[in-house]
Amino acid sequence: MDFLVLFLLYLALVLIGVTLICIYSRTQFLKGLVRGGAQIFSCIIPECLQRAVQRLLHYLFHTRNHTFIILHLVLQGMVYTEYTWEVLGYCQELEFSLYYLLLPYLLLFVNLFFFTLSCVTNPGTITKANELLFLQVYEFDDLMFPKNVRCPTCDLRKPARSKHCRVCNRCVHRFDHHCIWVNNCIGAWNTRYFLIYLLTLTASVATLASVSAAFLAQVVFFSDFYLKTYIDNHGHSQVVDTVFLVQYLFLLFPRIIFFLGFVLVLSFLLGGYLCFALYLAATNQTTNEWYRAGRAPRQHCRHEAQPLSAEPQVFQNIHSHGVWSNLREVFLPATRYEKKKK
Ligand SMILES: [Zn+2]
Ligand SMILES: [Zn+2]
């Protein structure tokens, strides 16, 4: 099979896989699939190995640790080393603009700055001292966030839109999710840093893809290769087409073609996630709320005052006050010193 067909097949499979996970993660389907996989796994793997895998998974995903931060930095380092080692030198020979070639490094610098802020900023931990302040920030909707509920672990009153993070073992104000890549919760006080981190990460990967693609396009343009002909397997003369061109470039620059494929896939995945995160910010929802709103109404927290026979209430987002107001709330969150007047 041609390299191009294989590569497109691989790209399509990855994108379909990610789309299916996004769709089915809101249903019981994925949980059933995971349970089925775990049952098969338990039948064929020795018990001691199972325990070791469980301990490893528990450590990686249910405790605070720096594994994914290190993995993130190593991956970023590898991608930039490949860019510096392979693409940059060739582009300088072809006299690309220096500003264009240095743009990925500028984005990397900004990205690492906001990555660090996302890692170290307090996401909005609820304590005895600030509990009362947080209780006044958001209205209770008596469905997803009922009044007078205490966190059974922290024994603090739960403000609307807060959630207890089991990984960090703390209640977080305007809890979005726990991110393993930054080893921190994403909450009221660091969602803005997380969004800029995501934006600059996507932009840096897209810029790397754009420089690599521009380099390959220049090579084709300068060599006039697309005007030439070749002899096919049957001995016929053929005009160079796109498939042949990509395979030819793959033979000439295999590492750059793989690099381009990798950063392209990454650009699509990160771009998709960035759009989702921006949609949530513009509509004033957290990932936690979006996930819970997608579940059946009977699965929401039922308020004690709501009789069992009553019609199930459908969740409505009462915190959205227009796109600009919602974005302002994310980028200028209520701090520990001020109360939001609503
Ligand atoms: Zn708690
Ligand atoms: Zn957490």
Side-chain angles (χ1 to χ4, degrees):
M1 203 182 285
D2 289 338
F3 164 75
L4 186 63
V5 178
L6 264 178
F7 177 71
L8 289 177
L9 209 64
Y10 163 76
L11 189 67
L13 277 175
V14 170
L15 291 178
I16 289 170
V18 171
T19 313
L20 285 177
I21 287 173
C22 289
I23 294 168
Y24 286 114
S25 61
R26 299 188 79 178
T27 69
Q28 294 299 310
F29 178 82
L30 195 70
K31 287 178 185 167
L33 208 67
V34 170
R35 267 198 294 274
Q39 275 174 359
I40 296 169
F41 178 75
S42 66
C43 291
I44 54 172
I45 306 287
E47 209 170 308
C48 59
L49 199 61
Q50 284 180 39
R51 275 201 297 273
V53 171
Q54 279 171 358
R55 269 202 296 273
L56 178 68
L57 291 177
H58 178 79
Y59 171 75
L60 286 178
F61 298 104
H62 295 108
T63 62
R64 286 193 84 181
N65 64 81
H66 292 94
T67 312
F68 285 93
I69 289 188
I70 295 166
L71 187 64
H72 183 294
L73 294 174
V74 168
L75 277 173
Q76 218 165 13
M78 282 167 65
V79 165
Y80 271 84
T81 306
E82 181 62 21
Y83 172 72
T84 310
W85 193 258
E86 285 277 319
V87 184
L88 198 67
Y90 284 127
C91 287
Q92 277 174 328
E93 281 175 30
L94 291 177
E95 294 179 352
F96 273 56
S97 157
L98 200 59
Y99 295 116
Y100 185 43
L101 296 181
L102 295 182
L103 184 60
Y105 296 105
L106 175 70
L107 287 167
L108 174 70
F109 179 75
V110 180
N111 176 253
L112 286 177
F113 177 70
F114 283 100
F115 177 67
T116 311
L117 280 180
S118 304
C119 294
V120 301
T121 304
N122 177 353
T125 306
I126 301 166
T127 61
K128 275 254 180 280
N130 61 25
E131 178 191 19
L132 277 176
L133 279 179
F134 281 137
L135 279 165
Q136 296 169 57
V137 175
Y138 290 116
E139 279 179 68
F140 291 92
D141 61 5
D142 286 332
L143 182 66
M144 196 182 283
F145 300 107
K147 264 183 196 165
N148 302 323
V149 172
R150 293 190 91 85
C151 171
T153 313
C154 311
D155 196 31
L156 294 168
R157 279 195 284 162
K158 288 180 87 168
R161 311 190 79 185
S162 68
K163 189 177 182 294
H164 183 85
C165 175
R166 278 183 288 182
V167 180
C168 305
N169 196 26
R170 62 183 170 184
C171 273
V172 174
H173 180 55
R174 201 186 187 277
F175 178 86
D176 193 276
H177 69 288
H178 178 89
C179 178
I180 52 172
W181 293 103
V182 300
N183 192 29
N184 198 4
C185 290
I186 304 302
W189 292 343
N190 65 350
T191 300
R192 51 187 166 165
Y193 302 138
F194 183 73
L195 279 177
I196 301 173
Y197 151 72
L198 205 57
L199 182 74
T200 49
L201 188 65
T202 311
S204 66
V205 174
T207 313
L208 290 172
S210 140
V211 174
S212 310
F215 161 69
L216 293 171
Q218 284 275 47
V219 169
V220 173
F221 180 74
F222 278 125
S223 64
D224 288 339
F225 191 73
Y226 54 94
L227 299 174
K228 294 176 182 159
T229 56
Y230 69 97
I231 307 296
D232 67 10
N233 293 339
H234 308 289
H236 301 131
S237 177
Q238 300 281 354
V239 178
V240 168
D241 56 10
T242 314
V243 176
F244 187 86
L245 201 61
V246 171
Q247 288 177 109
Y248 177 74
L249 286 173
F250 178 67
L251 288 174
L252 275 183
F253 309 105
R255 287 174 60 166
I256 294 181
I257 293 282
F258 268 119
F259 176 76
L260 177 59
F262 179 72
V263 286
L264 268 180
V265 171
L266 215 54
S267 303
F268 281 120
L269 296 179
L270 287 170
Y273 184 52
L274 175 68
C275 290
F276 173 65
L278 288 175
Y279 159 75
L280 290 183
T283 53
N284 208 334
Q285 294 180 78
T286 63
T287 307
N288 174 46
E289 290 159 5
W290 172 83
Y291 175 75
R292 290 176 64 186
R295 294 163 74 189
R298 66 176 179 280
Q299 287 175 296
H300 290 314
C301 275
R302 188 185 291 280
H303 190 254
E304 282 174 13
Q306 186 187 341
L308 286 171
S309 57
E311 282 287 305
Q313 289 175 273
V314 178
F315 169 73
Q316 278 190 325
N317 182 4
I318 59 166
H319 301 111
S320 178
H321 303 286
V323 175
W324 291 116
S325 170
N326 295 340
L327 290 177
R328 195 171 61 234
E329 195 176 301
V330 169
F331 286 95
L332 297 170
T335 65
R336 64 199 82 185
Y337 305 112
E338 64 178 288
K339 295 177 193 175
K340 194 175 169 186
K341 292 165 190 150
K342 283 245 178 244

